[in-house]
Amino acid sequence: ARRPTPGRHRRSPLMLAAQAHKPILRTMTDAPPHTLRAAPVHSPHFPKPLFFETRRDHFNITDTTKWQQAYYVNATFWTPGSGAPVFLCVGGEGPALDGSVVVSSVHCNNAVEWLSETRALMFAVEHRYYGCHNMSACPYSPSDEKPLRWLSSRQALADLATFQRHATSAFGISAASKWVTFGGSYPGMLASFARIKYPRLFFASASSSAPVQAKLDMTEYNDLVADAYALPSVGGSPACKAAIARGHAEVGRRFSSASGRASLVALFSELRGRQPSWLES
């Protein structure tokens, strides 16, 4: 792994708005590139990716394969040896990580906003699968027979533990510095699980919208989405929420009869060409 040198990453709004080249999307499937989400944007004004070495399979001693996992750092306000906290943004779903993740992005921006106040050092680690901005930063290759076998929360958590040890040594982080993990949704689950599984490495966790108690039919999620439609701050209203509820109820009612199913086929363009009987299932 490349040994990084702690630096300064001061970014102005103009620099953040700098245009970047069109990213190249990669996939192990036959899906055309235009159907994929955007790849990371490596703007010259963002921190560049650094890499640390980690195991492909942390729990199989016979698998000695190692790979280079990407991460980003913002040391703008941090002083080595100061004992200031360390913020670790956990990668996962959503837009792929790029250098903006430790400057201004949809990922862990609450941590970014606390940097000046806390004088913290901030890292963001790409997920071993939900990231992989190039094939050298992935634990698998297209030639692997079962490339998804190393995709698990357990492996991802071991990656974070490996990174914590790497960064502590590479950046000379004081033992007095407390590590705090950040994440939302699935990364929020990983952030909280990291605190639970590795309490000696991670002092606290800030987990947003993290469904740590997984359920097959999570009606609570639907309840929150429904409540959001009533919020004026996003253009909603109680009347809007009520109208959507009535609409869903009416669709459900029409499912129960042949004439109702026929009316749904006629009403929704996505169902054109389907026979009403298709909706019976």
Side-chain angles (χ1 to χ4, degrees), residues 53-72:
E53 187 174 77
T54 188
R55 296 175 62 92
R56 179 170 68 178
D57 191 333
H58 295 278
F59 309 100
N60 181 1
I61 60 174
T62 64
D63 187 344
T64 59
T65 303
K66 296 183 178 181
W67 59 289
Q68 298 293 309
Q69 191 165 0
Y71 69 97
Y72 300 88

PDB file of all heavy atoms in Angstrom, residues 53-72:
ATOM      1  N   GLU A  53      -3.729  -2.125   1.948  1.00  0.00           N
ATOM      2  CA  GLU A  53      -3.810  -3.537   1.598  1.00  0.00           C
ATOM      3  C   GLU A  53      -4.670  -4.293   2.602  1.00  0.00           C
ATOM      4  O   GLU A  53      -4.508  -4.142   3.809  1.00  0.00           O
ATOM      5  CB  GLU A  53      -2.412  -4.140   1.563  1.00  0.00           C
ATOM      6  CG  GLU A  53      -2.380  -5.572   1.033  1.00  0.00           C
ATOM      7  CD  GLU A  53      -0.965  -6.087   0.871  1.00  0.00           C
ATOM      8  OE1 GLU A  53      -0.349  -6.440   1.899  1.00  0.00           O
ATOM      9  OE2 GLU A  53      -0.454  -6.106  -0.271  1.00  0.00           O
ATOM     10  N   THR A  54      -5.572  -5.098   2.082  1.00  0.00           N
ATOM     11  CA  THR A  54      -6.432  -5.891   2.946  1.00  0.00           C
ATOM     12  C   THR A  54      -6.669  -7.256   2.310  1.00  0.00           C
ATOM     13  O   THR A  54      -6.397  -7.457   1.122  1.00  0.00           O
ATOM     14  CB  THR A  54      -7.774  -5.172   3.197  1.00  0.00           C
ATOM     15  OG1 THR A  54      -8.524  -5.875   4.180  1.00  0.00           O
ATOM     16  CG2 THR A  54      -8.599  -5.076   1.914  1.00  0.00           C
ATOM     17  N   ARG A  55      -7.138  -8.171   3.099  1.00  0.00           N
ATOM     18  CA  ARG A  55      -7.360  -9.533   2.612  1.00  0.00           C
ATOM     19  C   ARG A  55      -8.668  -9.635   1.833  1.00  0.00           C
ATOM     20  O   ARG A  55      -9.650  -8.963   2.150  1.00  0.00           O
ATOM     21  CB  ARG A  55      -7.408 -10.510   3.783  1.00  0.00           C
ATOM     22  CG  ARG A  55      -6.124 -10.621   4.568  1.00  0.00           C
ATOM     23  CD  ARG A  55      -6.324 -11.521   5.777  1.00  0.00           C
ATOM     24  NE  ARG A  55      -6.675 -12.873   5.359  1.00  0.00           N
ATOM     25  CZ  ARG A  55      -5.790 -13.852   5.160  1.00  0.00           C
ATOM     26  NH1 ARG A  55      -4.500 -13.606   5.333  1.00  0.00           N
ATOM     27  NH2 ARG A  55      -6.176 -15.057   4.800  1.00  0.00           N
ATOM     28  N   ARG A  56      -8.659 -10.494   0.826  1.00  0.00           N
ATOM     29  CA  ARG A  56      -9.896 -10.739   0.093  1.00  0.00           C
ATOM     30  C   ARG A  56     -10.893 -11.493   0.970  1.00  0.00           C
ATOM     31  O   ARG A  56     -12.089 -11.204   0.967  1.00  0.00           O
ATOM     32  CB  ARG A  56      -9.612 -11.541  -1.176  1.00  0.00           C
ATOM     33  CG  ARG A  56     -10.853 -11.852  -1.986  1.00  0.00           C
ATOM     34  CD  ARG A  56     -10.517 -12.436  -3.332  1.00  0.00           C
ATOM     35  NE  ARG A  56      -9.932 -13.775  -3.245  1.00  0.00           N
ATOM     36  CZ  ARG A  56      -9.589 -14.496  -4.301  1.00  0.00           C
ATOM     37  NH1 ARG A  56      -9.742 -13.992  -5.514  1.00  0.00           N
ATOM     38  NH2 ARG A  56      -9.063 -15.696  -4.156  1.00  0.00           N
ATOM     39  N   ASP A  57     -10.407 -12.460   1.712  1.00  0.00           N
ATOM     40  CA  ASP A  57     -11.254 -13.222   2.627  1.00  0.00           C
ATOM     41  C   ASP A  57     -10.583 -13.219   3.995  1.00  0.00           C
ATOM     42  O   ASP A  57      -9.563 -13.869   4.208  1.00  0.00           O
ATOM     43  CB  ASP A  57     -11.439 -14.655   2.128  1.00  0.00           C
ATOM     44  CG  ASP A  57     -12.519 -15.412   2.889  1.00  0.00           C
ATOM     45  OD1 ASP A  57     -12.753 -15.067   4.073  1.00  0.00           O
ATOM     46  OD2 ASP A  57     -13.116 -16.339   2.326  1.00  0.00           O
ATOM     47  N   HIS A  58     -11.170 -12.468   4.911  1.00  0.00           N
ATOM     48  CA  HIS A  58     -10.582 -12.329   6.241  1.00  0.00           C
ATOM     49  C   HIS A  58     -10.740 -13.574   7.100  1.00  0.00           C
ATOM     50  O   HIS A  58     -10.114 -13.667   8.164  1.00  0.00           O
ATOM     51  CB  HIS A  58     -11.234 -11.148   6.975  1.00  0.00           C
ATOM     52  CG  HIS A  58     -10.962  -9.825   6.348  1.00  0.00           C
ATOM     53  ND1 HIS A  58      -9.802  -9.101   6.566  1.00  0.00           N
ATOM     54  CD2 HIS A  58     -11.702  -9.072   5.497  1.00  0.00           C
ATOM     55  CE1 HIS A  58      -9.841  -7.958   5.900  1.00  0.00           C
ATOM     56  NE2 HIS A  58     -10.988  -7.921   5.238  1.00  0.00           N
ATOM     57  N   PHE A  59     -11.568 -14.517   6.657  1.00  0.00           N
ATOM     58  CA  PHE A  59     -11.916 -15.642   7.514  1.00  0.00           C
ATOM     59  C   PHE A  59     -11.534 -16.995   6.911  1.00  0.00           C
ATOM     60  O   PHE A  59     -11.964 -18.031   7.399  1.00  0.00           O
ATOM     61  CB  PHE A  59     -13.416 -15.600   7.816  1.00  0.00           C
ATOM     62  CG  PHE A  59     -13.863 -14.260   8.329  1.00  0.00           C
ATOM     63  CD1 PHE A  59     -14.490 -13.349   7.481  1.00  0.00           C
ATOM     64  CD2 PHE A  59     -13.621 -13.881   9.634  1.00  0.00           C
ATOM     65  CE1 PHE A  59     -14.881 -12.104   7.943  1.00  0.00           C
ATOM     66  CE2 PHE A  59     -14.003 -12.636  10.101  1.00  0.00           C
ATOM     67  CZ  PHE A  59     -14.632 -11.739   9.262  1.00  0.00           C
ATOM     68  N   ASN A  60     -10.740 -16.974   5.864  1.00  0.00           N
ATOM     69  CA  ASN A  60     -10.260 -18.205   5.226  1.00  0.00           C
ATOM     70  C   ASN A  60      -8.736 -18.133   5.159  1.00  0.00           C
ATOM     71  O   ASN A  60      -8.177 -17.438   4.309  1.00  0.00           O
ATOM     72  CB  ASN A  60     -10.860 -18.346   3.828  1.00  0.00           C
ATOM     73  CG  ASN A  60     -10.419 -19.615   3.126  1.00  0.00           C
ATOM     74  OD1 ASN A  60      -9.659 -20.426   3.678  1.00  0.00           O
ATOM     75  ND2 ASN A  60     -10.878 -19.804   1.891  1.00  0.00           N
ATOM     76  N   ILE A  61      -8.076 -18.840   6.044  1.00  0.00           N
ATOM     77  CA  ILE A  61      -6.615 -18.737   6.126  1.00  0.00           C
ATOM     78  C   ILE A  61      -5.927 -19.313   4.903  1.00  0.00           C
ATOM     79  O   ILE A  61      -4.755 -19.012   4.642  1.00  0.00           O
ATOM     80  CB  ILE A  61      -6.089 -19.427   7.397  1.00  0.00           C
ATOM     81  CG1 ILE A  61      -6.460 -20.916   7.399  1.00  0.00           C
ATOM     82  CG2 ILE A  61      -6.623 -18.744   8.657  1.00  0.00           C
ATOM     83  CD1 ILE A  61      -5.842 -21.694   8.555  1.00  0.00           C
ATOM     84  N   THR A  62      -6.648 -20.128   4.118  1.00  0.00           N
ATOM     85  CA  THR A  62      -6.040 -20.699   2.918  1.00  0.00           C
ATOM     86  C   THR A  62      -6.078 -19.739   1.737  1.00  0.00           C
ATOM     87  O   THR A  62      -5.400 -19.963   0.740  1.00  0.00           O
ATOM     88  CB  THR A  62      -6.741 -22.011   2.528  1.00  0.00           C
ATOM     89  OG1 THR A  62      -8.104 -21.735   2.168  1.00  0.00           O
ATOM     90  CG2 THR A  62      -6.731 -22.995   3.684  1.00  0.00           C
ATOM     91  N   ASP A  63      -6.900 -18.683   1.851  1.00  0.00           N
ATOM     92  CA  ASP A  63      -6.978 -17.673   0.786  1.00  0.00           C
ATOM     93  C   ASP A  63      -6.021 -16.540   1.156  1.00  0.00           C
ATOM     94  O   ASP A  63      -6.322 -15.702   2.001  1.00  0.00           O
ATOM     95  CB  ASP A  63      -8.402 -17.145   0.654  1.00  0.00           C
ATOM     96  CG  ASP A  63      -8.571 -16.214  -0.555  1.00  0.00           C
ATOM     97  OD1 ASP A  63      -7.543 -15.747  -1.106  1.00  0.00           O
ATOM     98  OD2 ASP A  63      -9.725 -15.941  -0.939  1.00  0.00           O
ATOM     99  N   THR A  64      -4.884 -16.508   0.497  1.00  0.00           N
ATOM    100  CA  THR A  64      -3.858 -15.508   0.815  1.00  0.00           C
ATOM    101  C   THR A  64      -3.916 -14.292  -0.095  1.00  0.00           C
ATOM    102  O   THR A  64      -3.065 -13.415  -0.018  1.00  0.00           O
ATOM    103  CB  THR A  64      -2.466 -16.136   0.718  1.00  0.00           C
ATOM    104  OG1 THR A  64      -2.263 -16.633  -0.619  1.00  0.00           O
ATOM    105  CG2 THR A  64      -2.309 -17.275   1.717  1.00  0.00           C
ATOM    106  N   THR A  65      -4.942 -14.223  -0.953  1.00  0.00           N
ATOM    107  CA  THR A  65      -5.064 -13.101  -1.878  1.00  0.00           C
ATOM    108  C   THR A  65      -5.319 -11.797  -1.126  1.00  0.00           C
ATOM    109  O   THR A  65      -6.153 -11.747  -0.224  1.00  0.00           O
ATOM    110  CB  THR A  65      -6.215 -13.337  -2.873  1.00  0.00           C
ATOM    111  OG1 THR A  65      -5.983 -14.563  -3.569  1.00  0.00           O
ATOM    112  CG2 THR A  65      -6.309 -12.187  -3.874  1.00  0.00           C
ATOM    113  N   LYS A  66      -4.590 -10.753  -1.514  1.00  0.00           N
ATOM    114  CA  LYS A  66      -4.796  -9.428  -0.937  1.00  0.00           C
ATOM    115  C   LYS A  66      -5.072  -8.435  -2.067  1.00  0.00           C
ATOM    116  O   LYS A  66      -4.757  -8.684  -3.219  1.00  0.00           O
ATOM    117  CB  LYS A  66      -3.574  -8.990  -0.134  1.00  0.00           C
ATOM    118  CG  LYS A  66      -3.321  -9.876   1.082  1.00  0.00           C
ATOM    119  CD  LYS A  66      -2.136  -9.385   1.906  1.00  0.00           C
ATOM    120  CE  LYS A  66      -1.935 -10.259   3.137  1.00  0.00           C
ATOM    121  NZ  LYS A  66      -0.805  -9.797   3.975  1.00  0.00           N
ATOM    122  N   TRP A  67      -5.675  -7.318  -1.723  1.00  0.00           N
ATOM    123  CA  TRP A  67      -6.021  -6.328  -2.736  1.00  0.00           C
ATOM    124  C   TRP A  67      -5.897  -4.940  -2.139  1.00  0.00           C
ATOM    125  O   TRP A  67      -5.779  -4.769  -0.934  1.00  0.00           O
ATOM    126  CB  TRP A  67      -7.427  -6.565  -3.282  1.00  0.00           C
ATOM    127  CG  TRP A  67      -8.516  -6.523  -2.251  1.00  0.00           C
ATOM    128  CD1 TRP A  67      -8.765  -7.436  -1.272  1.00  0.00           C
ATOM    129  CD2 TRP A  67      -9.506  -5.508  -2.092  1.00  0.00           C
ATOM    130  NE1 TRP A  67      -9.850  -7.067  -0.515  1.00  0.00           N
ATOM    131  CE2 TRP A  67     -10.333  -5.875  -0.987  1.00  0.00           C
ATOM    132  CE3 TRP A  67      -9.807  -4.331  -2.769  1.00  0.00           C
ATOM    133  CZ2 TRP A  67     -11.409  -5.118  -0.559  1.00  0.00           C
ATOM    134  CZ3 TRP A  67     -10.890  -3.571  -2.344  1.00  0.00           C
ATOM    135  CH2 TRP A  67     -11.676  -3.963  -1.256  1.00  0.00           C
ATOM    136  N   GLN A  68      -5.915  -3.945  -3.008  1.00  0.00           N
ATOM    137  CA  GLN A  68      -5.737  -2.561  -2.601  1.00  0.00           C
ATOM    138  C   GLN A  68      -7.104  -1.871  -2.519  1.00  0.00           C
ATOM    139  O   GLN A  68      -7.764  -1.669  -3.529  1.00  0.00           O
ATOM    140  CB  GLN A  68      -4.847  -1.823  -3.604  1.00  0.00           C
ATOM    141  CG  GLN A  68      -3.443  -2.397  -3.722  1.00  0.00           C
ATOM    142  CD  GLN A  68      -2.642  -2.210  -2.445  1.00  0.00           C
ATOM    143  OE1 GLN A  68      -2.551  -1.109  -1.911  1.00  0.00           O
ATOM    144  NE2 GLN A  68      -2.044  -3.283  -1.958  1.00  0.00           N
ATOM    145  N   GLN A  69      -7.536  -1.521  -1.307  1.00  0.00           N
ATOM    146  CA  GLN A  69      -8.831  -0.882  -1.090  1.00  0.00           C
ATOM    147  C   GLN A  69      -8.639   0.635  -1.016  1.00  0.00           C
ATOM    148  O   GLN A  69      -7.715   1.128  -0.371  1.00  0.00           O
ATOM    149  CB  GLN A  69      -9.472  -1.404   0.192  1.00  0.00           C
ATOM    150  CG  GLN A  69     -10.923  -0.990   0.368  1.00  0.00           C
ATOM    151  CD  GLN A  69     -11.627  -1.819   1.441  1.00  0.00           C
ATOM    152  OE1 GLN A  69     -11.018  -2.699   2.052  1.00  0.00           O
ATOM    153  NE2 GLN A  69     -12.898  -1.563   1.659  1.00  0.00           N
ATOM    154  N   ALA A  70      -9.536   1.370  -1.670  1.00  0.00           N
ATOM    155  CA  ALA A  70      -9.392   2.823  -1.780  1.00  0.00           C
ATOM    156  C   ALA A  70      -9.989   3.549  -0.581  1.00  0.00           C
ATOM    157  O   ALA A  70     -10.973   3.101   0.017  1.00  0.00           O
ATOM    158  CB  ALA A  70     -10.058   3.327  -3.067  1.00  0.00           C
ATOM    159  N   TYR A  71      -9.376   4.689  -0.255  1.00  0.00           N
ATOM    160  CA  TYR A  71      -9.939   5.566   0.769  1.00  0.00           C
ATOM    161  C   TYR A  71      -9.529   7.000   0.476  1.00  0.00           C
ATOM    162  O   TYR A  71      -8.640   7.265  -0.339  1.00  0.00           O
ATOM    163  CB  TYR A  71      -9.481   5.153   2.173  1.00  0.00           C
ATOM    164  CG  TYR A  71      -8.021   5.380   2.492  1.00  0.00           C
ATOM    165  CD1 TYR A  71      -7.605   6.518   3.184  1.00  0.00           C
ATOM    166  CD2 TYR A  71      -7.047   4.446   2.135  1.00  0.00           C
ATOM    167  CE1 TYR A  71      -6.268   6.721   3.508  1.00  0.00           C
ATOM    168  CE2 TYR A  71      -5.714   4.640   2.447  1.00  0.00           C
ATOM    169  CZ  TYR A  71      -5.322   5.781   3.142  1.00  0.00           C
ATOM    170  OH  TYR A  71      -3.995   5.976   3.448  1.00  0.00           O
ATOM    171  N   TYR A  72     -10.204   7.931   1.146  1.00  0.00           N
ATOM    172  CA  TYR A  72      -9.953   9.362   0.967  1.00  0.00           C
ATOM    173  C   TYR A  72      -9.723   9.995   2.333  1.00  0.00           C
ATOM    174  O   TYR A  72     -10.203   9.485   3.361  1.00  0.00           O
ATOM    175  CB  TYR A  72     -11.137  10.031   0.254  1.00  0.00           C
ATOM    176  CG  TYR A  72     -11.414   9.456  -1.111  1.00  0.00           C
ATOM    177  CD1 TYR A  72     -12.267   8.364  -1.264  1.00  0.00           C
ATOM    178  CD2 TYR A  72     -10.816   9.978  -2.247  1.00  0.00           C
ATOM    179  CE1 TYR A  72     -12.507   7.816  -2.513  1.00  0.00           C
ATOM    180  CE2 TYR A  72     -11.054   9.448  -3.505  1.00  0.00           C
ATOM    181  CZ  TYR A  72     -11.897   8.361  -3.618  1.00  0.00           C
ATOM    182  OH  TYR A  72     -12.133   7.809  -4.865  1.00  0.00           O
TER     183      TYR A  72
END
